[in-house]
Amino acid sequence: MHSVIRQAFEIKQTALPWNRAISAGICLGLPSLIGLMLGRFDYGLLAGTGGFTYLYAFTEPYALRARKLFYTMLGIGVSVFCGSLLSTYPVLSAVVLGLIGALATFIFGALKFKGPAAMFFVLSFALASGMPNGPAEALPRSMLVLLGGALAWLIAMAGWLTNPHAPEIMAIRRVYANLAALLDAAGTKGYSNARHETLISMVEAEAAFAGKSRSWRDPHLVHRLLRMFRQAHLIYQETDTWNQRSMEPLPPALGRAVSAAAESLRSGRIPTMDGLWQLEDRDRELQRLLRPVLELESILREHSDSEDAWEGRGVPHTPAKSIFLGAFDKNSLVFLLSLRFGIILMIAALAAHAFNLNRSYWVPLSCASVMLGSTVVATYHRAIQRSIGTIIGILIASAILWARPEGIVISLAIMLFTFFAELLIVRNYAIAILFVTPNALLMAEASSHIHNVAYFAGTRIVDVITGSVIGLIGVLLLGRTSASSRIPYLMGRTIRSQSELTAQLLTEQPGSDLSEGGRQQRAMKTNLSNLTTVYATALGEIPRSEEELQRLLPVVWALDQFGYLLDSYAMTPNRPVLSDTELAGLLLVFEKTAQSAEQQRSMALPEVPALALAPKVRQELLTLQNALVKSLSAPV
């Protein structure tokens, strides 16, 4: 418990998001200033609720950001409408609140969107449910919130006017910066960590380019970025092959050349690769790696106007329907966590009503905040941070409300509190809560006449502690060990989906139709995502078996690496073709390995075929088998 408390107040060394903090303060505070100038300060405060939309904007491409924030704005507006409409029906209101929380959690979890997930939908519903004259004001309130959300949408999209492809450029720069570090780390002990960081950045870049086409503001730039993304996979594959074959450091000039390619996206200066040709003459073994690095210069200089250049260049994306169907799987934690979130939130709202707590919506609100922790340990952290941070924050808000400030003071306070909350939340949640709590209280209570500030502060503190306790107890009771029990089954399922994708990729394709391969690739990604999510959740279970999870970690890691290799093969135009004999032997190895992982028992695994045309597949499969054999023979 001492370790949990210490971790809850640990200050992370993360860069402060100044631009995001300033923009968030404007989005939440400016509507109230506009309302003050128009003589309806209460309307301005309500419109500021729509400013929560901005808090869901991150570094995703602008096309995706526009859609995500638009639907977020609509969701917050609907939450305010439902909260106002059902304010006189507390039981029905609690049920709908649980449904809103569960639905938002499911959507954000399935799509893997960053952000506060259901938090501000719950907050908007809760604030609206505590306002007087709810049903009669439901529609105008929701319209005001949509206006505030539209302002936040415009501010979040403003960067598109000056640099519409900044997120994609940043993604490619991260990939090549990590590739340069990978080349420098080849043949050293730091190669494994550099490899991991490179693969993470490549997955993030893939999400940035998924489903892109010619309908861009600068299609030639994007075409160049797509080619660089594909080239990064070739460089990664050849670097990995070099490291496995020779285990010797690479010439530093290779890392410098790749780093210069990344820098050229910012500076516009095309690097020359003249010095690398000398390496090719000196060391013939480097030719396979040198070739894709040398091709970077021609890619950066490309100015093709050909319409045919786009054919086959896009990165395949997974349709939303397939994503949601995969998340509905019985072994997917996304669905189970969403269901748990909704049920506990509903219980918290009903408990607050049953005990007739004043302004009872603060109870489910605190409960929702605590349950945003992805694991039980994270939930403990949230409960500690929320309780202590909120108590201090309530005292700050009470002092401000006791002074009965005028409208402009409240607007400026909302801006400042939002600014500091967004600036500091990356360092520590408890510190951010010091500003989040008075901000929410000001937005909810500024128009109220609070005569007994001490009673007000005491009531809010009781509400927050009650909600935090309910959320913590609910997480402990519902599925606290559900993740670890699913790991073996998901391992077997992931191995089988990788077997199907391998067979699809390494057999001769009729024509150029790879639609079936795309389906298999989506299935593999869904299973791998479920496995890694379940494993990460199991690490935060209380109680948990440290030895068991450490025993399984190498197998999860090997499956993750194999998945990245298959993704790279899917983007390679000239893939090797296996014979029927090789393919049959390979599929037998996959099935036996899947059975061993799923049943968690040792068995005689067949030898992996030689696969002269696909040595990296053989190497990754041997790594997986070795990790599995070691994990099953390790003492538990």
Side-chain angles (χ1 to χ4, degrees), residues 37 41 96 225 304 319 365 370 408 422 436 478 542 580 616 622 629:
M37 289 187 294
F41 182 64
V96 173
L225 293 175
S304 174
L365 185 59
V370 166
I408 190 170
E422 286 301 305
V436 172
L478 296 182
I542 298 178
D580 291 343
K616 287 190 283 292
L622 285 172
V629 170

Side-chain angles (χ1 to χ4, degrees), residues 186-340:
T188 69
K189 293 182 179 180
Y191 183 80
S192 178
N193 289 335
R195 187 188 194 213
H196 180 63
E197 293 298 323
T198 302
L199 292 174
I200 289 176
S201 63
M202 291 170 74
V203 170
E204 292 175 349
E206 181 181 351
F209 286 100
K212 299 299 182 279
S213 64
R214 287 192 295 258
S215 57
W216 285 49
R217 184 171 173 179
D218 188 353
H220 305 308
L221 170 62
V222 179
H223 178 220
R224 194 177 307 123
L225 293 175
L226 282 168
R227 287 198 62 190
M228 290 188 69
F229 175 64
R230 290 179 174 277
Q231 199 72 6
H233 281 77
L234 297 178
I235 297 172
Y236 163 75
Q237 287 184 31
E238 296 303 335
T239 305
D240 211 35
T241 301
W242 168 274
N243 190 73
Q244 292 174 2
R245 185 177 65 241
S246 63
M247 289 297 293
E248 294 179 0
L250 287 165
L254 282 170
R256 289 197 298 267
V258 171
S259 181
E263 181 62 22
S264 70
L265 293 175
R266 184 184 65 84
S267 64
R269 294 191 297 271
I270 307 299
T272 59
M273 306 290 180
D274 296 339
L276 296 183
W277 292 104
Q278 301 173 2
L279 295 177
E280 188 176 30
D281 296 335
R282 190 179 69 191
D283 193 341
R284 296 291 180 181
E285 293 185 1
L286 280 175
Q287 287 186 7
R288 290 181 59 87
L289 178 56
L290 275 171
R291 192 175 299 114
V293 176
L294 288 168
E295 289 173 356
L296 285 174
E297 184 177 355
S298 62
I299 293 174
L300 290 169
R301 294 184 184 278
E302 180 189 60
H303 294 286
S304 174
D305 295 329
S306 172
E307 291 289 320
D308 296 334
W310 282 97
E311 298 301 325
R313 295 294 184 183
V315 177
H317 72 289
T318 305
K321 179 181 178 181
S322 300
I323 294 175
F324 288 129
L325 288 176
F328 267 117
D329 185 272
K330 66 179 181 179
N331 289 288
S332 170
L333 276 194
V334 172
F335 178 74
L336 296 176
L337 291 175
S338 304
L339 193 62
R340 183 182 71 180

Side-chain angles (χ1 to χ4, degrees), residues 420-623:
F420 284 113
E422 286 301 305
L423 189 68
L424 298 174
I425 197 167
V426 297
R427 294 290 180 91
N428 185 271
Y429 183 74
I431 298 176
I433 282 293
L434 295 178
F435 302 99
V436 172
T437 300
N439 197 24
L441 286 169
L442 284 178
M443 296 179 71
E445 312 288 353
S447 57
S448 304
H449 298 289
I450 301 174
H451 301 289
N452 191 337
V453 175
Y455 172 77
F456 164 81
T459 304
R460 293 292 79 79
I461 290 173
V462 170
D463 292 345
V464 169
I465 294 176
T466 302
S468 299
V469 170
I470 292 174
L472 187 57
I473 292 175
V475 169
L476 289 173
L477 292 179
L478 296 182
R480 60 178 179 175
T481 59
S482 60
S484 55
S485 63
R486 290 178 169 81
I487 293 177
Y489 170 78
L490 285 174
M491 281 182 175
R493 187 166 177 171
T494 302
I495 294 171
R496 290 189 176 95
S497 64
Q498 290 180 338
S499 170
E500 294 174 3
L501 179 57
T502 302
Q504 186 68 28
L505 293 174
L506 302 184
T507 54
E508 189 172 0
Q509 300 294 325
S512 59
D513 183 12
L514 294 178
S515 59
E516 184 70 14
R519 183 181 65 81
Q520 299 294 352
Q521 188 177 9
R522 292 195 296 270
M524 188 270 291
K525 287 184 177 181
T526 298
N527 290 323
L528 189 57
S529 175
N530 287 340
L531 173 61
T532 53
T533 301
V534 166
Y535 185 85
T537 305
L539 289 173
E541 290 180 338
I542 298 178
R544 66 178 183 270
S545 173
E546 293 283 356
E547 295 80 7
E548 176 76 7
L549 292 174
Q550 288 299 322
R551 181 176 67 84
L552 296 175
L553 178 60
V555 184
V556 176
W557 174 249
L559 287 171
D560 208 20
Q561 300 299 314
F562 199 10
Y564 288 128
L565 174 64
L566 294 178
D567 280 340
S568 296
Y569 265 116
M571 297 181 187
T572 304
N574 299 317
R575 295 188 295 273
V577 176
L578 300 183
S579 66
D580 291 343
T581 303
E582 288 177 318
L583 186 61
L586 190 62
L587 294 179
L588 177 62
V589 172
F590 271 115
E591 180 56 31
K592 289 292 186 181
T593 306
Q595 291 178 9
S596 178
E598 189 174 54
Q599 299 170 17
Q600 286 295 288
R601 65 183 181 90
S602 299
M603 58 177 63
L605 297 178
E607 184 178 352
V608 182
L611 302 180
L613 296 178
K616 287 190 283 292
V617 172
R618 184 176 189 274
Q619 181 62 43
E620 292 293 348
L621 195 50
L622 285 172
T623 301

Side-chain angles (χ1 to χ4, degrees), residues 9 385-397 400 417-418 420-421 424 428-441:
F9 293 99
Q385 293 166 335
R386 177 78 184 179
S387 299
I388 296 177
T390 298
I391 290 173
I392 300 175
I394 286 173
L395 296 177
I396 295 173
I400 295 174
F417 284 144
T418 304
F420 284 113
L424 298 174
N428 185 271
Y429 183 74
I431 298 176
I433 282 293
L434 295 178
F435 302 99
V436 172
T437 300
N439 197 24
L441 286 169

